[in-house]
């Protein structure tokens, strides 16, 4: 199904994206979202592709499940809600903050030891409440704090210094890079810095889909299966109330889904079917319906995905159009 040898790193060049969604208002195409889409079958082979699925790109937070797998392989003993939080782009709800504090406690660390950036909560409802209450930005509220707390805990368990844990040369980040290459099946093209300050690894869209499929098809009890189980069973801990990826995992039994900034999405089923999406302009309004269309392409019942067909375009407060995946995406 998957080769044990690593493919070369994907090429670094301008992506050859293709139209993936149209903004149709009143029967006229008002705008076009470009991007790339890949659908893998149960055998790990590409069943469908659109755009450029082999060029180097940054998966952003869609790679967090792989980072969590790497930490579990390195001895991180978390399960359930806390392991889901370790792979989260959370909304900053109180349960997320409490969970992060618990991981820090297990690590013998405090919020001051975190090295992610300070920010307000990612969830708009929570963020608005923070602003009304006059609460300042914090590292704990930032959406990657669970991952960073887990990184500190992993360092403690392995006797690695917490100082410089975000340095790509740190043993923790070297261990994560090794698992990124293992699960994607390809060399990393480039390493840069993600929005939270952690190293960010460039792979291909096809590689991201392969990694998700390998996580969901893993033998029960393995690090991969533990991460998948935690995220599926505690979907709101990996995201937040009202978030589309949590709703998607609730709607499609067994589905693992993760979003990332700049219009990235990945989803995989227990039998290895997987999809990955990159929207060129980073628009979430296109990511959701394109991901849903890709899942239909993968064989998911369209009735389960009706809520994810995209928000309507309004005119005078009334629906006058929609964001429609291109014809090539529709089976």
């Amino acid at each position: 199904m998957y080769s044990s040898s690593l493919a070369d790193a994907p090429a670094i060049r301008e992506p050859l994206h293709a139209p993936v969604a149209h903004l149709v208002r009143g029967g006229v195409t008002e705008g076009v979202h470009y991007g790339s889409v890949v659908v893998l079958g149960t055998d790990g082979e590409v069943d469908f592709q659109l755009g450029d699925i082999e060029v180097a790109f940054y998966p952003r937070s869609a790679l967090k499940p792989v980072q969590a797998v790497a930490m579990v392989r390195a001895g991180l003993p978390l399960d359930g809600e806390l392991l889901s939080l370790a792979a989260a782009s959370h909304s900053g709800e109180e349960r997320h903050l409490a969970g992060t504090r618990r991981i820090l406690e297990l690590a013998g660390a405090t919020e001051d030891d975190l090295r992610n950036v300070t920010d307000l909560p990612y969830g708009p409802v929570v963020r608005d409440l923070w602003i009304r209450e006059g609460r300042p930005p914090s590292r704990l509220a930032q959406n990657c704090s669970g991952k960073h707390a887990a990184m500190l805990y992993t360092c403690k368990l392995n006797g690695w210094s917490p100082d410089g844990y975000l340095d790509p040369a740190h043993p923790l980040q070297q261990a994560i890079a090794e698992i990124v290459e293992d699960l994607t099946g390809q060399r990393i093209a480039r390493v840069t810095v993600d929005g939270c300050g952690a190293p960010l690894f460039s792979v291909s869209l096809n590689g991201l889909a392969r990694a998700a499929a390998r996580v969901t098809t893993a033998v029960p009890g393995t690090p991969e299966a533990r991460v998948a189980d935690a995220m599926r069973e505690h979907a709101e801990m990996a995201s937040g109330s009202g978030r589309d990826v949590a709703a998607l995992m609730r709607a499609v039994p067994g589905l693992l889904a993760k979003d990332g900034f700049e219009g990235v999405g990945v989803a995989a089923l227990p039998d290895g079917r997987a999809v990955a999406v990159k929207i060129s302009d980073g628009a979430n309004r296109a990511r959701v319906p394109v991901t849903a269309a890709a899942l239909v392409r993968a064989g998911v019942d369209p009735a389960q995905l009706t809520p994810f067909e995209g928000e309507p375009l309004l005119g005078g407060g009334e629906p006058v159009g929609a964001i429609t995946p291109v014809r090539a995406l529709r089976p």
Side-chain angles (χ1 to χ4, degrees):
M1 183 175 177
Y2 294 100
S3 173
S4 59
S5 60
L6 294 178
D8 291 338
I12 298 174
R13 54 171 169 76
E14 182 177 348
L16 302 174
H17 291 308
V20 294
H22 293 149
L23 279 70
V24 181
R25 182 185 296 269
V28 174
T29 298
E30 186 176 33
V32 179
H33 286 289
Y34 283 72
S36 296
V37 179
V38 63
V39 177
L40 302 184
T42 56
D43 58 359
E45 297 298 319
V46 175
D47 275 358
F48 174 84
Q49 62 181 321
L50 185 62
D52 199 345
I53 68 168
E54 298 294 356
V55 68
F57 92 119
Y58 291 119
R60 302 300 299 270
S61 288
L63 201 60
K64 283 180 178 175
V66 177
Q67 292 172 307
V69 168
M71 288 188 278
V72 175
R73 286 197 190 183
L76 186 69
L78 301 179
D79 280 301
E81 288 189 346
L82 294 185
L83 182 53
S84 184
L85 183 60
S89 300
H90 65 70
S91 290
E93 300 164 22
E94 284 304 319
R95 59 179 159 180
H96 300 131
L97 307 188
T100 301
R101 291 190 189 99
R102 176 57 181 153
I103 298 173
L104 287 170
E105 180 182 329
L106 291 169
T110 69
E111 182 179 352
D112 291 337
D113 295 308
L114 295 170
R115 288 297 173 264
N116 57 316
V117 296
T118 60
D119 202 355
L120 291 169
Y122 178 70
V125 174
V126 186
R127 183 172 61 247
D128 289 349
L129 179 61
W130 272 56
I131 292 171
R132 288 197 300 272
E133 294 178 346
R135 298 172 72 177
S138 74
R139 298 186 193 276
L140 200 66
Q142 197 267 338
N143 76 88
C144 302
S145 63
K147 177 183 77 174
H148 282 253
M151 286 180 171
L152 288 171
Y153 191 14
T154 304
C155 287
K156 177 185 179 181
L157 293 166
N158 285 276
W160 298 330
S161 171
D163 297 333
Y165 76 89
L166 297 184
D167 188 328
H170 190 281
L172 170 69
Q173 301 303 336
Q174 291 288 300
I176 291 174
E178 180 181 347
I179 304 309
V180 169
E181 292 189 331
D182 177 29
L183 294 183
T184 62
Q186 62 189 168
R187 301 289 181 188
I188 292 167
R190 184 160 294 178
V191 181
T192 187
V193 182
D194 209 342
C196 66
L200 178 60
F201 307 103
S202 180
V203 293
S204 71
L205 197 66
N206 193 8
L208 176 64
R210 280 196 301 268
R214 293 187 67 183
V215 170
T216 57
T217 58
V219 174
T222 60
E224 291 89 338
R226 285 171 55 191
V227 170
D229 289 344
M231 293 181 68
R232 289 182 296 217
E233 292 169 13
H234 304 279
E236 283 79 14
M237 203 67 169
S239 52
S241 301
R243 293 275 291 281
D244 60 84
V245 285
L248 192 59
M249 286 192 276
R250 298 293 185 210
V252 182
L255 186 73
L256 175 69
K258 185 69 185 76
D259 55 346
F261 279 157
E262 295 304 319
V264 181
V266 66
L269 290 153
D271 63 5
R273 288 174 290 160
V275 306
V277 169
K278 163 64 181 175
I279 305 300
S280 180
D281 62 7
N284 273 330
R285 67 177 183 177
R287 173 183 58 81
V288 177
V290 169
T291 300
L295 285 168
V296 173
R297 267 273 180 188
V300 175
D301 183 354
Q304 296 176 314
L305 298 166
T306 301
F308 309 97
E309 291 178 347
E311 298 179 4
L313 299 179
L314 302 180
E318 297 296 327
V320 295
I323 299 174
T324 306
V326 296
R327 189 178 303 277
L329 261 173
R330 288 176 261 164

